[in-house]
Amino acid sequence: MKIDRIGEVVFGKERPFLIADAGVNHEGSLDKALEMVEAAAAAGADMIKFQAYKAERIATRQSPAYWDRRQEPTASQYELFKKYDGLDARDYRRIAEHCEKKGILFAATAFDETFVDLLDPLMPVHKVASADITNRLLLKKIASKGKPVILSTGAAYLSEIDEAVRFLSENGVRQVALLHCVLEYPTQPGNANLLSIAFLKSAFPDQTIGWSDHIRPEYGCLALITAWMLGAEIIEKHFTLDKSLPGNDNYHAVDPEDIVEFRKKTQYVHGLLGVKQKRVLPCEENARKYARRSLVARKAIEAGTPIRAEMLTAKRPGTGMAPMYLDWLEGKKPCVSIAEDEVIQWEMFLGAQENCWKRPPDEEPGFEK
């Protein structure tokens, strides 16, 4: 499998490109990882992504926790990572094969150069975690593979993002997608700063922009919908089979039912958005014709009688001359008699002024439909 363009389904289309970030919520179990693949595919995710690391290659034994320890009590990064680093290259090949069988793309964030080599044949893109945005050892290794890169930008200055994009490009990466992200687990809604999505789109107009979300999936995944509305073409969200499980990334993840609901909502919003154009919709034609008003005779008017404003009123339906033409009509003489309460038609005055305009009889002069 390959992706010709990251986030091919973009804002304004039916739905964003959805990455179900399984991370290590499989807790080291290959069987559970395969179950997660099946659930994510059935729910409607476009890609399922895992995290591939070995604790001793990612953190020192003294590396302190940076997450909410009321949710995940583990005191050090090394200790946490060691709990879930049991999967090896053979396991990831099994997972990738299962993804292909189930019709969902496979990816895994490689946290060291060894896993970059092991995973590259299995993935259409490489994902770089926010914490590695300045890790040029890893970035250079990933760039050497020549594949698109999805780069999270949590806790990064604009200059650091720009430098990372430039470095990847200079080392052979043709396409980089940037995900706005906040490194707070879980992210409080007041810290989401989703307007950064629009900012990144303006700062990096040649890149695909998305959102990597760590907010609890409250209010019907409203944060995800809002991010999409602000232009996020890729949505990455932690994924679990059971949100009630303690610790790690379960407490701010979506489950399969959430993904199904999110897809329904994006389809609904897509219908609401329509197109970037103001025009008369087919569904409005009858209302335009019958709910608008026409000039109507207050009393009978003989042929040849000069029209005065007080002779007319405006009533529904809008099948005749629009009230906006009353000033033009004053002083004109109808070439036919007009009955009381009769809708005024252009044809009644076509003979009143020679060559007054040329038009089909069902169109108003000077305006296009």
Side-chain angles (χ1 to χ4, degrees), residues 172-244:
V173 177
R174 292 184 299 170
Q175 187 183 5
V176 181
L178 300 173
L179 305 187
H180 170 50
C181 179
V182 176
L183 293 191
E184 179 186 27
Y185 302 88
T187 301
Q188 300 304 309
N191 292 334
N193 204 36
L194 290 181
L195 288 177
S196 290
I197 294 168
F199 175 78
L200 288 175
K201 288 178 76 71
S202 64
F204 299 93
D206 297 328
Q207 314 302 332
T208 299
I209 306 300
W211 162 240
S212 180
D213 179 80
H214 299 130
I215 299 173
R216 294 180 187 275
E218 300 170 321
Y219 304 107
C221 294
L222 185 57
L224 302 185
I225 295 292
T226 303
W228 178 50
M229 291 294 295
L230 288 170
E233 302 174 27
I234 300 173
I235 299 290
E236 179 185 76
K237 180 64 178 172
H238 280 278
F239 175 66
T240 182
L241 298 177
D242 185 353
K243 291 184 291 188
S244 69

Side-chain angles (χ1 to χ4, degrees), residues 244-302:
S244 69
L245 291 174
N248 204 42
D249 290 325
N250 293 297
Y251 55 87
H252 56 83
V254 293
D255 61 19
E257 290 74 22
D258 290 324
I259 292 180
V260 170
E261 189 64 22
F262 173 66
R263 284 307 196 198
K264 288 180 180 178
K265 285 184 169 68
T266 54
Q267 185 175 10
Y268 176 74
V269 172
H270 166 65
L272 295 176
L273 291 175
V275 296
K276 292 181 180 179
Q277 182 184 13
K278 180 56 183 172
R279 58 188 175 88
V280 178
L281 299 173
C283 66
E284 296 179 300
E285 289 290 354
N286 279 343
R288 176 182 173 85
K289 186 175 182 180
Y290 298 119
R292 286 194 172 188
R293 301 198 186 203
S294 301
L295 291 172
V296 174
R298 290 181 183 271
K299 60 181 181 179
I301 303 171
E302 294 292 331

Side-chain angles (χ1 to χ4, degrees), residues 302-332:
E302 294 292 331
T305 302
I307 296 296
R308 301 188 309 275
E310 59 267 23
M311 294 178 176
L312 306 176
T313 188
K315 293 184 180 183
R316 299 182 183 188
T319 53
M321 185 182 292
M324 62 189 293
Y325 296 110
L326 178 59
D327 290 345
W328 177 90
L329 193 59
E330 283 197 90
K332 302 296 190 301

Side-chain angles (χ1 to χ4, degrees), residues 15-20 36-48 102-105 235 239 255-264 266:
R15 64 189 215 173
F17 187 88
L18 180 61
I19 301 173
M36 294 181 78
V37 167
E38 295 179 9
D46 296 295
M47 174 182 282
I48 185 167
K102 296 300 178 180
I104 187 172
L105 293 169
I235 299 290
F239 175 66
D255 61 19
E257 290 74 22
D258 290 324
I259 292 180
V260 170
E261 189 64 22
F262 173 66
R263 284 307 196 198
K264 288 180 180 178
T266 54

Side-chain angles (χ1 to χ4, degrees), residues 110 116 119-120 123-128 142 145 147-150:
V116 172
L119 293 169
D120 180 69
M123 308 189 303
V125 300
H126 283 273
K127 171 67 196 299
V128 179
I142 288 173
K145 302 302 180 181
K147 289 182 178 178
V149 172
I150 301 175

